[in-house]
Amino acid sequence: MTARRWHRRSVEPDENPPDQITRAEIRSASTAVRSEYAAEVKRWYRGRFLMTSDREEIARQLSETVIANGDSPPGAKTFMSVTGPNGAGKSTFLKRWASERHRGWAAMYPATGPGGRPVWHPDPQTECDVIPVCWVNLPSAARVKDLNAGILEFLGLPGEGLARLQTRRVLDACERHLVRLLIIDDAHLLNTGQRIGREVLDHVKVLNTELGELGASIVLVGANLEQGELLTDPQIAARLKAHFLGPIEVDTAAGRLQWQTLLAAQERDLAPYLPGLSTGVLHDEFAGLVWMRTQGYLGDVRELLVESIGRAIEDGTGAVSRAHIEAVPLSERAEARR
């Protein structure tokens, strides 16, 4: 990931929805036309983001923390973390949230750079890209040099060099490019064991303090961070606001309501392309079946609905059936949990 690619994706408009279709049109269409239309609807729906009330609340709290960090005096800021099981959609959720923050911050500067990128002038002779969000994907057993290199390379700078010199370059680059938010993805891959781990933990705290001088915030994202060395470090824990993102569970009334609300929203979105779909089928008749197949993981929900939609269009019924839902192959995790 690079800042330029991140900017392009953040400002790229959502794909236009497909044209609606009637039951008569879908029944009379040829096999080739149905397949083409099914592919168009599937492509559009795969780009949709499935939002739930708990994710909306987490997004609101993250935004409030970022604002509070920006308003507070220079110095160490409140860390944020988003954790949960593998496959819960943490990175997808954070990318959507961070892209919204990026657009808001970028709009404050003239988009006169190459490719319409926002720029600012620290002095009359110098023009710099404005890069309000820095996203780092960590490699396995990441050390201080790996984290520094990830930040530098995202900002378009060479990542090699001694860790001490890298750190100075990281901080200078973040100040030069007006970084407001550093997101460290796959933070569970940080090497936090023994002596090397101590160095990594200390470095994360140094980044928080130094970036805090610039009013910037850090978000740690990773699988099952709750009991790891990173979030239980006393200094980090003292400044941490932690958020858990998991699958939707249906063993409580609140969970069942959230699940049915999600499916009702998907049914409304899909109705124009499934003219044979009866109101209430997804969130009522098939709610239990869809949960059993996906175990409440939103990525699996989207994939299940994508393939079911395609099959319903291709066979000319324009209505998702139990057979469609049961026939879709899902991830090994979903199948094993079922």
Side-chain angles (χ1 to χ4, degrees), residues 283-301:
H283 71 272
D284 188 2
E285 183 178 347
F286 294 148
L289 175 61
V290 174
W291 191 90
M292 183 189 71
R293 296 243 36 222
T294 64
Q295 299 292 301
Y297 283 84
L298 298 195
D300 287 311
V301 172

Side-chain angles (χ1 to χ4, degrees), residues 18-89:
D19 294 332
Q20 298 185 22
I21 195 169
T22 66
R23 182 175 291 189
E25 288 172 333
I26 200 171
R27 285 178 173 173
S28 63
S30 66
T31 300
V33 169
R34 287 178 191 165
S35 295
E36 183 178 343
Y37 184 68
E40 183 182 359
V41 174
K42 288 166 66 176
R43 183 172 58 251
W44 166 77
Y45 189 68
R46 278 200 175 100
R48 303 280 291 168
F49 182 77
L50 275 60
M51 181 60 85
T52 58
S53 58
D54 61 334
R55 283 162 171 75
E56 289 176 346
E57 178 60 20
I58 291 173
R60 185 188 66 79
Q61 292 179 17
L62 290 172
S63 298
E64 288 182 349
T65 302
V66 168
I67 292 170
N69 280 345
D71 291 343
S72 63
K77 303 296 184 182
T78 299
F79 281 103
M80 291 161 280
S81 70
V82 177
T83 187
N86 287 306

